[in-house]
Amino acid sequence: MLLVLLAVLLVPFYFGSWKVAVVGLSAQGILLFSLAALGAEGQAPELNWLELVDLLVVRGLAAPLVLALGARGMEALVEKRRSPPNLVVWTLAFGLVLGAFTFAPRLAPEAGSGQVAVAVAIAAVMLALLVLSTQTGTMEQMTGVLRLENAVALLELGADHHTRVAWLQVGQLTVLVLTLAVFSWVLAKERAPEPAPETPEGPSL
């Protein structure tokens, strides 16, 4: 499951369409929910309603829907602002993944799924920062922020269930919902037609 999530994180770097990035966000949310439902290594699954709402409803469904509806009617503008994928970005993405798997044993010395989870989480953070640093379009910046939010959620899923704090999960969900509300407002503002410039009136005869 973790390697599938890693593949989902990498795919948008090799396809230039913003729609692929949005579908990737949905897949990330669904996979995060699946990981929470299965439970971490050595732990029994303890999925609660907060994780159901956060991972599946908000990240898997609401966030991609907000971006897709926000881009409706200005697909050409979104594609024009998007920086096309190139060999440099591909190499950087692959190098960041390699670096994450190289660094992971320092944080999780015991080999196993826990070490892989740490590596994928590190890769997710670095790939999100790569999106934010190489893409300048509004939609791409929003995608990068949501990718970073998902990376933080993946790190949180790796923690012991007994160390999780309910109010912290509520705060994280609240911040995500407010972020989506701001994104929806910004996209609606960009989609609104600009007022036609006023033409000066000539002298009356």
Side-chain angles (χ1 to χ4, degrees):
M1 190 75 69
L2 287 167
L3 295 180
V4 176
L5 177 58
L6 180 61
V8 169
L9 292 171
L10 282 171
V11 164
F13 288 97
Y14 297 91
F15 294 90
S17 174
W18 64 271
K19 296 178 181 179
V20 174
V22 171
V23 172
L25 284 175
S26 179
Q28 289 173 40
I30 294 171
L31 288 171
L32 288 172
F33 173 76
S34 301
L35 288 170
L38 292 174
E41 185 180 17
Q43 299 179 24
E46 296 182 17
L47 189 66
N48 55 48
W49 68 270
L50 279 174
E51 290 172 330
L52 173 65
V53 174
D54 183 6
L55 303 178
L56 184 61
V57 177
V58 178
R59 298 178 194 271
L61 300 175
L65 189 62
V66 165
L67 296 187
L69 292 177
R72 186 178 56 183
M74 58 176 190
E75 290 86 351
L77 178 61
V78 172
E79 290 292 349
K80 182 179 179 181
R81 290 179 176 177
R82 181 177 177 85
S83 301
N86 54 66
L87 185 59
V88 174
V89 174
W90 296 343
T91 304
L92 283 173
F94 185 72
L96 290 174
V97 172
L98 274 181
F101 276 85
T102 303
F103 184 72
R106 297 177 180 271
L107 298 178
E110 295 183 6
S113 61
Q115 190 179 97
V116 176
V118 171
V120 174
I122 295 173
V125 172
M126 300 307 295
L127 291 174
L129 294 176
L130 179 61
V131 172
L132 291 171
S133 61
T134 59
Q135 298 288 338
T136 57
T138 303
M139 180 69 69
E140 287 70 32
Q141 288 286 301
M142 292 179 178
T143 302
V145 170
L146 293 176
R147 287 174 68 106
L148 192 57
E149 290 271 5
N150 289 341
V152 172
L154 179 57
L155 287 169
E156 197 269 338
L157 284 178
D160 193 305
H161 280 282
H162 300 291
T163 64
R164 298 184 193 177
V165 183
W167 65 264
L168 190 59
Q169 290 180 279
V170 173
Q172 185 179 358
L173 178 59
T174 302
V175 169
L176 180 58
V177 171
L178 291 176
T179 300
L180 291 176
V182 172
F183 285 177
S184 180
W185 175 76
V186 171
L187 290 172
K189 191 174 181 181
E190 284 202 354
R191 193 170 61 247
E194 297 183 359
E198 296 182 0
T199 55
E201 296 181 0
S204 55
L205 297 177

